[in-house]
Amino acid sequence: MHLSFCGKNRPNDTAACLLFQIVPELHLVVEFTGLNNYDRVNNKFINYTKADGLPSNRINGILEDNNGCLWVNTRKGLSKFDIVNTTFTNYSREYGVNHYSHSGRLMSSTMGGSFKSQSGDMFFGGINGFICFNPDRILEQSHISPIVLTGFKVFGKNIKFDKAISDIDQIELSYKSNYFTFEFALLDFTNVQRNQYSYKLEGLDKDWIYSGNRHYASYSNLAPGKYVFKLKGANHEGIWNIDGISINLTIIPPFWKTWWFRVLLAISFLGTIILIYWLRVANIQAQKRELESLVLIRTSEINKINDHLAQEVKIRRDTESNLRKSEEKFRDLFENANDIIWTSDIEGKLLSVNSLFEMLSGHSKDELIGKQPLDLIVPEHRNRIIRNYKKAINGKSVEYEIETISRNNVRKTFWLKMRPLKEDGKVIGIHGIGRDITDLKKAEKELREAEKLKRESLKQLTLKLAHEIKNPLTSIKSSAQLVATSKVTEANAKIQKHMDVINRNVDFCDKVVRDLYSFTHRPEFEFSKIKVSDFIERIKSFTLEKIEHGKKVKVYINIENKTLKIFADEFRLFQAFKNIINNAFDAMADHGILTINSKYIDSSKEVLIEIIDNGCGISTDNLKCIFQPFYSSKPTGFGLGLPLVKDIIEVHGGKIEVESELGKGSNFKIKIPAIKKK
């Protein structure tokens, strides 16, 4: 007995189509989700959809034929369901299925009635008409169409194999090829648009994937492993190729995920543990042997130390005895020294003083120790001692002169030297020594006064000489010039020669008088800023003028810094350099080389000017005396030129030095303080 029903209660109600078959094994229910088969034995529904071959999941009617097959009317066509084999076969007009429509259009199937006549004819109603056919007279479908693989792509690029793609049954991919596509086709070209496909990747997909008419399947980011790609299809007749094709797919893992790498890693790890254990045991054994050897060595050393200790005890006793004697000797020297000696802390407080310090200050040791000795310094010199004390605290040894005053108001002049006392590299105090130079200063003062008196006497003598000699010299030179220009003299070469001798000697006597006057009469100097480079150019001009009138001398000028300036009386300083240039020309024969160098000495903030010649040079004995007044190494010299040069340089706050070697030449070095750079 069968009962079929399809319909709606209301226009918006969900449609249902039911078929009840009175057999214990099978109940069938049809809805929008496809065909549902109720299995009473297992108490569950089995669902059949488009993926299983239905043209559509929307079912509008269902009838059973005389052979026990179900005929299902769907929205997209008619299908026969073989209950035994659970297969679907789809039909159209080509198979004898008649579509009757009152409008002449193809019938659109929707929810409607279904009817089976006594002759076996089946009728399915629709919107535009109905379907009429007899299952026994319907044409059987012809064949199952084969399905093949037509292409394989990785990242959109076709992969070529050693054989035809349709013959491939095994594919291996690297784990890096994480996006690939299978392309396939059903070999039925009657109506390609009606071909249907369904595929599944075992190992990833749980169910078959119905792709409709799409003939490719893509996968990405698969984990390494083995997979099976299964594919089946239905031709335009709706006949499914159930067997389909299968392709084994292997994703090769990276080496660090392979079993052999993991085994190797495990072996390496185990080997490392064994090696560490073996090394640890070997190290412990080596340490044990070393410790035993060390114990023997230490025992031997202890025995030697005991022997040495006995010797050291004896040596220490002897050393302590010598130290006591040395300390007594030092203390005796400290107390009885001819100089004052003291020590103080970093704050300037006295820690110790010797007896002479105590005696000259007029204070006892108890009064001096722990106090600063500023009261013993005259007020105008206190800043000086503070300034030098700070230098000594900063690690420098300093020497200076200072005037002191005792308790009895006795003033004395001392030369002091202070040096830092250090402990572990840190200054902890000051050690000082002082010498009474009061008598020496007094003698120097007397010597200066005597020198002043001597210079004054020489000054008076020079004035008298200049007065008594200069006028006769002028008369002699005038007369000699008159005689030299007379016609008689011009005609007589011998007389002319004697007149030249008279003129030269008169000029020499005049120069001696001028030098004596300059030496004894120190004029007032007029200082101003002058540019060193301009001053040297003036010296160069003077030198070139001398070359024009005499010797063949090459002159080289080297000025390192053309911006340097000094405070100088340009006239007096030029007078000094002219004297040195004249001496250089006198030292050279008919030809020679004269070099003038100028540079800045950064350490002393001075300008150094060198005048170098390659003349006859000066002996070592003469070098010691060339700056002494009235000393001359030349037979015609009077010995006042270089002393006058030295006097002018010293007035400028500078100093002059000479380096010379006989037969090689001389180097006069003049250093003058430079004006500070801004």
Side-chain angles (χ1 to χ4, degrees):
M1 178 181 177
H2 302 88
L3 175 61
S4 175
F5 169 79
C6 294
K8 298 181 182 178
N9 293 328
R10 293 185 299 273
N12 295 327
D13 287 349
T14 301
C17 186
L18 307 176
L19 174 67
F20 298 94
Q21 184 180 14
I22 310 303
V23 289
E25 294 87 1
L26 181 65
H27 282 191
L28 296 175
V29 180
V30 180
E31 293 180 339
F32 283 108
T33 57
L35 183 64
N36 293 284
N37 178 13
Y38 178 67
D39 185 357
R40 294 184 62 184
V41 176
N42 297 315
N43 192 26
K44 66 177 182 178
F45 281 97
I46 300 174
N47 180 247
Y48 299 96
T49 63
K50 288 172 64 176
D52 300 298
L54 273 172
S56 171
N57 288 337
R58 183 171 181 177
I59 298 174
N60 300 317
I62 181 170
L63 292 173
E64 183 180 10
D65 63 14
N66 296 330
N67 298 317
C69 294
L70 296 180
W71 290 83
V72 182
N73 181 23
T74 71
R75 189 171 187 177
K76 291 186 178 181
L78 187 66
S79 182
K80 182 178 76 173
F81 179 57
D82 188 337
I83 297 174
V84 177
N85 296 320
T86 64
T87 59
F88 289 92
T89 305
N90 300 323
Y91 294 92
S92 61
R93 285 180 176 178
E94 290 84 358
Y95 301 99
V97 178
N98 295 317
H99 293 252
Y100 296 95
S101 171
H102 62 81
S103 62
R105 294 179 297 169
L106 183 65
M107 188 200 76
S108 176
S109 179
T110 183
M111 186 60 67
S114 59
F115 171 73
K116 177 183 176 186
S117 68
Q118 291 181 356
S119 61
D121 292 336
M122 291 186 177
F123 300 87
F124 290 97
I127 295 175
N128 299 322
F130 62 91
I131 299 172
C132 175
F133 66 94
N134 190 310
D136 295 332
R137 293 192 297 274
I138 199 166
L139 296 176
E140 288 298 328
Q141 297 173 351
S142 57
H143 67 281
I144 297 174
S145 300
I147 189 168
V148 295
L149 192 68
T150 60
F152 184 75
K153 293 182 178 180
V154 175
F155 292 112
K157 294 183 179 180
N158 286 316
I159 303 300
K160 295 183 179 180
F161 297 94
D162 297 335
K163 53 186 178 180
I165 187 68
S166 58
D167 297 333
I168 295 296
D169 58 1
Q170 174 71 35
I171 296 177
E172 288 188 353
L173 292 178
S174 168
Y175 70 96
K176 296 180 181 178
S177 303
N178 57 5
Y179 181 79
F180 56 89
T181 301
F182 291 98
E183 292 182 344
F184 38 81
L186 195 69
L187 301 182
D188 179 7
F189 304 103
T190 305
N191 190 348
V192 177
Q193 297 299 324
R194 292 179 62 84
N195 292 343
Q196 305 293 315
Y197 300 96
S198 181
Y199 61 85
K200 177 181 182 182
L201 186 64
E202 289 187 352
L204 178 67
D205 298 328
K206 295 182 179 180
D207 299 314
W208 285 88
I209 298 173
Y210 178 72
S211 63
N213 195 35
R214 178 167 54 85
H215 52 86
Y216 64 88
S218 298
Y219 291 93
S220 62
N221 298 323
L222 291 186
K226 293 183 180 296
Y227 301 88
V228 178
F229 179 72
K230 291 187 175 183
L231 176 67
K232 61 184 180 179
N235 58 18
H236 74 286
E237 298 173 342
I239 300 175
W240 283 88
N241 187 337
I242 301 301
D243 295 333
I245 59 173
S246 297
I247 299 171
N248 295 318
L249 176 67
T250 302
I251 306 296
I252 301 173
F255 73 90
W256 60 85
K257 288 187 178 181
T258 57
W259 66 268
W260 57 265
F261 179 79
R262 292 173 180 172
V263 170
L264 182 62
L265 190 64
I267 293 172
S268 300
F269 179 73
L270 184 60
T272 302
I273 292 175
I274 293 172
L275 179 62
I276 292 172
Y277 175 77
W278 181 83
L279 291 174
R280 178 63 178 165
V281 171
N283 187 42
I284 291 172
Q285 292 176 348
Q287 287 180 350
K288 181 181 178 182
R289 290 192 297 271
E290 185 179 357
L291 184 60
E292 290 173 351
S293 175
L294 190 61
V295 168
L296 293 175
I297 294 172
R298 289 289 182 263
T299 303
S300 175
E301 289 178 351
I302 289 172
N303 292 331
K304 291 179 181 179
I305 289 171
N306 289 333
D307 295 337
H308 290 159
L309 283 175
Q311 294 178 4
E312 285 183 3
V313 169
K314 182 178 181 303
I315 293 171
R316 184 170 295 179
R317 288 174 181 172
D318 295 340
T319 303
E320 288 176 354
S321 175
N322 293 331
L323 282 174
R324 282 194 296 271
K325 293 178 181 179
S326 178
E327 184 180 357
E328 291 173 359
K329 184 177 180 180
F330 171 77
R331 187 172 296 279
D332 182 65
L333 289 174
F334 180 78
E335 291 294 337
N336 300 306
N338 292 325
D339 297 322
I340 62 171
I341 303 173
W342 79 96
T343 59
S344 61
D345 60 17
I346 57 175
E347 294 179 355
K349 296 179 181 178
L350 294 172
L351 300 176
S352 64
V353 295
N354 67 348
S355 300
L356 186 61
F357 191 112
E358 183 180 11
M359 181 184 71
L360 293 178
S361 67
H363 296 274
S364 66
K365 289 185 180 180
D366 293 338
E367 293 174 330
L368 294 171
I369 301 301
K371 295 181 181 179
Q372 294 179 340
L374 287 178
D375 291 341
L376 303 178
I377 311 300
V378 296
E380 57 269 26
H381 284 184
R382 288 175 184 173
N383 286 334
R384 183 184 299 177
I385 192 171
I386 291 172
R387 185 170 61 252
N388 285 282
Y389 192 84
K390 289 181 178 179
K391 290 181 181 179
I393 288 297
N394 290 326
K396 296 181 180 179
S397 294
V398 292
E399 297 181 25
Y400 57 99
E401 294 179 5
I402 202 165
E403 190 171 344
T404 64
I405 183 169
S406 68
R407 172 178 281 182
N408 300 324
N409 292 325
V410 177
R411 289 182 174 236
K412 287 185 177 292
T413 303
F414 280 87
W415 166 85
L416 301 182
K417 181 175 182 179
M418 295 190 298
R419 65 177 185 85
L421 290 175
K422 295 182 179 180
E423 184 176 292
D424 297 330
K426 183 180 179 182
V427 177
I428 60 171
I430 298 296
H431 173 265
I433 185 171
R435 181 165 295 172
D436 185 358
I437 58 172
T438 305
D439 294 337
L440 180 62
K441 285 293 181 181
K442 184 178 179 181
E444 287 180 354
K445 183 178 179 182
E446 292 174 352
L447 184 61
R448 284 195 300 272
E449 290 177 352
E451 182 68 23
K452 184 177 179 181
L453 184 61
K454 176 182 174 182
R455 188 178 288 269
E456 184 63 29
S457 300
L458 190 59
K459 178 180 177 181
Q460 296 300 324
L461 175 62
T462 303
L463 286 172
K464 290 179 181 180
L465 283 173
H467 183 268
E468 298 294 334
I469 296 176
K470 194 170 183 64
N471 291 333
L473 286 175
T474 303
S475 299
I476 293 171
K477 187 168 184 178
S478 299
S479 300
Q481 289 174 347
L482 288 173
V483 173
T485 56
S486 68
K487 293 182 179 180
V488 176
T489 304
E490 291 177 354
N492 193 325
K494 190 174 181 180
I495 296 175
Q496 184 69 42
K497 181 178 179 182
H498 285 295
M499 289 298 101
D500 291 340
V501 171
I502 291 172
N503 282 326
R504 283 200 305 273
N505 283 282
V506 168
D507 290 339
F508 176 74
C509 291
D510 188 54
K511 181 178 181 301
V512 169
V513 172
R514 287 200 309 272
D515 287 347
L516 277 172
Y517 187 83
S518 298
F519 183 72
T520 56
H521 293 74
R522 178 178 291 177
E524 292 294 328
F525 282 69
E526 297 180 1
F527 288 91
S528 62
K529 289 183 182 179
I530 66 170
K531 204 172 183 179
V532 176
S533 59
D534 294 342
F535 181 72
I536 291 177
E537 286 296 327
R538 185 177 176 188
I539 296 172
K540 178 182 176 182
S541 299
F542 170 74
T543 305
L544 295 177
E545 288 175 4
K546 288 185 67 66
I547 293 173
E548 290 176 359
H549 297 90
K551 300 178 181 180
K552 297 179 180 180
V553 176
K554 293 183 178 179
V555 180
Y556 297 97
I557 306 294
N558 299 310
I559 303 174
E560 186 179 275
N561 189 333
K562 294 186 178 182
T563 63
L564 294 174
K565 293 182 180 181
I566 58 174
F567 277 112
D569 184 324
E570 188 172 359
F571 175 77
R572 300 297 176 189
L573 193 61
F574 183 67
Q575 182 183 1
F577 276 84
K578 279 172 58 179
N579 199 309
I580 297 173
I581 297 293
N582 288 332
N583 287 341
F585 269 79
D586 292 341
M588 292 184 285
D590 292 336
H591 57 82
I593 298 175
L594 182 69
T595 304
I596 302 175
N597 298 327
S598 170
K599 64 180 178 179
Y600 178 70
I601 303 174
D602 187 61
S603 59
S604 59
K605 312 300 182 190
E606 293 175 318
V607 175
L608 170 64
I609 301 175
E610 295 179 309
I611 300 177
I612 307 170
D613 66 69
N614 64 342
C616 61
I618 306 171
S619 68
T620 305
D621 293 335
N622 286 334
L623 272 177
K624 300 175 182 177
C625 308
I626 59 175
F627 292 111
Q628 294 179 8
F630 306 108
Y631 179 85
S632 176
S633 60
K634 297 184 292 185
T636 59
F638 197 65
L640 288 176
L642 288 178
L644 183 61
V645 170
K646 184 173 183 291
D647 191 44
I648 292 173
I649 298 300
E650 289 178 348
V651 170
H652 283 78
K655 47 186 175 288
I656 182 170
E657 300 172 354
V658 184
E659 296 177 356
S660 185
E661 187 175 348
L662 278 174
K664 293 187 177 181
S666 303
N667 181 4
F668 281 77
K669 297 181 178 182
I670 298 97
K671 297 178 182 178
I672 300 175
I675 296 176
K676 291 183 180 179
K677 299 178 181 180
K678 294 184 179 180

